[in-house]
């Protein structure tokens, strides 16, 4: 697997306004450094402890994105350094992020996850819950978080029509509300579906295996 070549080829295919998050979960620091040395500075992880230990070991100009589902009790471990939290799915979690951000004297950027997949297992809020959250009085008191945009994960399928429909649903919701809520980021698209996501307005793709190769969870 030539990580450097993969990044260069991938970057050449992305429109310049689309941000690449290199998803480095399960991958060792040595391989992430190869991407870093090719100029990549944004990396995504889905486990807080793993991200925190990589943060400690790696150069400090890296932006670390938390892309996975989060338990409130672990927010404190990433609050000092995380640059974007993608999968916020409740006011309760947002309040904890706000609390830990305040302790660190920071404003932490977040995305709200909209549920677009048909599978039961995918996390996220429905549209109505997102609007309710954004208009709640409690939300308006949170001074140490900033909602930058929305994130979604499509169904794990090869059915391009279904993927298109799911990404379009997210894009429609995003474009309807972006001006009112000052949103600027639409995080959607992974190795298998990022071209479709981009054709439906993605501004940020999260790509892992197309850069680093398949993940091996058994080691
Ligand atoms: C692992 C992961 C990705 C990257 O998946 P690939 O198919 O390897 O590109 C993207 N987003 C989230 C939320 C993930 O957990």
């Amino acid at each position: 697997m030539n990580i450097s070549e993969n990044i260069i080829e991938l970057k050449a295919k992305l429109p310049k306004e689309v941000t690449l998050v290199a998803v480095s979960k399960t991958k060792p620091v040595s391989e992430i450094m190869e991407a870093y040395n090719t100029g990549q500075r944004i990396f995504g992880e889905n486990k807080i402890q793993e991200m925190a230990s990589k943060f400690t070991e790696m150069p400090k100009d890296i932006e670390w994105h938390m892309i996975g589902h989060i338990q409130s009790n672990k927010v404190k471990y990433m609050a000092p350094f995380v640059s974007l939290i993608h999968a916020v799915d409740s006011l309760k979690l947002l309040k904890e992020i706000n609390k830990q951000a305040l302790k660190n004297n920071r404003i932490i950027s977040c995305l709200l996850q909209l549920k677009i997949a048909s599978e039961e297992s995918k996390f996220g809020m429905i549209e109505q819950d997102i609007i309710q959250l954004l208009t709640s009085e409690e939300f308006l008191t949170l001074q140490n978080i900033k909602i930058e945009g929305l994130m979604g994960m499509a169904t794990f399928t090869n059915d391009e029509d279904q993927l298109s429909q799911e990404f379009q649903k997210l894009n429609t919701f995003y474009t309807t509300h972006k001006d009112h809520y000052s949103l600027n980021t639409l995080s959607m698209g992974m190795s298998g579906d990022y071209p479709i996501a981009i054709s439906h307005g993605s501004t940020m793709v999260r790509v892992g295996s197309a850069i680093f190769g398949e993940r091996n969870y058994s080691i």
Side-chain angles (χ1 to χ4, degrees):
M1 185 54 57
N2 191 325
I3 293 167
S4 188
E5 265 176 34
N6 291 344
I7 293 220
I8 291 164
E9 278 173 26
L10 180 59
K11 293 279 276 189
K13 286 187 224 156
L14 299 180
K16 64 177 184 319
E17 64 278 8
V18 173
T19 303
L20 172 62
V21 178
V23 176
S24 50
K25 62 192 185 193
T26 79
K27 299 296 177 181
V29 166
S30 58
E31 291 179 19
I32 308 173
M33 275 311 293
E34 198 175 327
Y36 180 89
N37 289 330
T38 312
Q40 182 65 24
R41 289 294 180 273
I42 305 176
F43 294 94
E45 292 281 336
N46 70 340
K47 295 213 169 72
I48 294 181
Q49 270 101 341
E50 183 178 342
M51 183 170 76
S53 85
K54 286 172 177 173
F55 164 75
T56 310
E57 287 180 60
M58 297 193 61
K60 292 297 167 285
D61 61 345
I62 289 175
E63 284 182 32
W64 292 99
H65 287 198
M66 173 45 60
I67 62 170
H69 185 70
I70 303 160
Q71 286 169 280
S72 294
N73 60 353
K74 295 196 178 146
V75 170
K76 56 179 176 285
Y77 302 114
M78 65 177 168
F81 69 92
V82 68
S83 76
L84 182 63
I85 301 178
H86 285 236
V88 176
D89 63 357
S90 71
L91 181 59
K92 175 173 173 276
L93 176 60
L94 210 49
K95 281 161 64 180
E96 177 63 15
I97 296 168
N98 187 73
K99 180 175 149 192
Q100 298 300 333
L102 180 61
K103 277 191 188 166
N104 287 279
N105 200 16
R106 298 186 65 212
I107 293 172
I108 296 182
S109 295
C110 297
L111 306 178
L112 297 175
Q113 181 173 6
L114 180 70
K115 183 177 156 60
I116 52 173
S118 56
E119 295 137 298
E120 265 312 306
S121 63
K122 295 269 161 58
F123 295 102
M125 291 183 280
I126 61 170
E127 295 181 0
Q128 202 180 329
D129 292 342
I130 290 186
I131 298 299
Q132 202 168 61
L133 187 157
L134 290 171
T135 52
S136 70
E137 280 182 33
E138 217 174 1
F139 169 74
L140 298 172
T141 66
L142 305 178
Q143 301 287 320
N144 291 74
I145 48 104
K146 182 161 189 310
I147 303 296
E148 301 282 355
L150 304 172
M151 176 268 203
M153 278 180 90
T155 301
F156 189 73
T157 176
N158 291 324
D159 181 341
E160 298 205 352
D161 289 338
Q162 186 177 355
L163 291 169
S164 278
Q165 272 173 32
E166 292 177 1
F167 289 135
Q168 189 50 42
K169 175 180 152 84
L170 183 49
N171 185 31
T172 300
F173 186 67
Y174 174 73
T175 50
T176 304
H177 297 288
K178 75 188 277 280
D179 292 340
H180 185 70
Y181 294 106
S182 305
L183 309 178
N184 57 54
T185 302
L186 183 54
S187 166
M188 58 185 198
M190 323 197 328
S191 294
D193 57 23
Y194 73 85
I196 301 175
I198 289 170
S199 74
H200 290 281
S202 170
T203 71
M204 183 175 275
V205 292
R206 311 176 306 268
V207 179
S209 44
I211 296 172
F212 295 104
E214 292 302 317
R215 286 174 294 275
N216 184 348
Y217 286 103
S218 65
I219 49 167

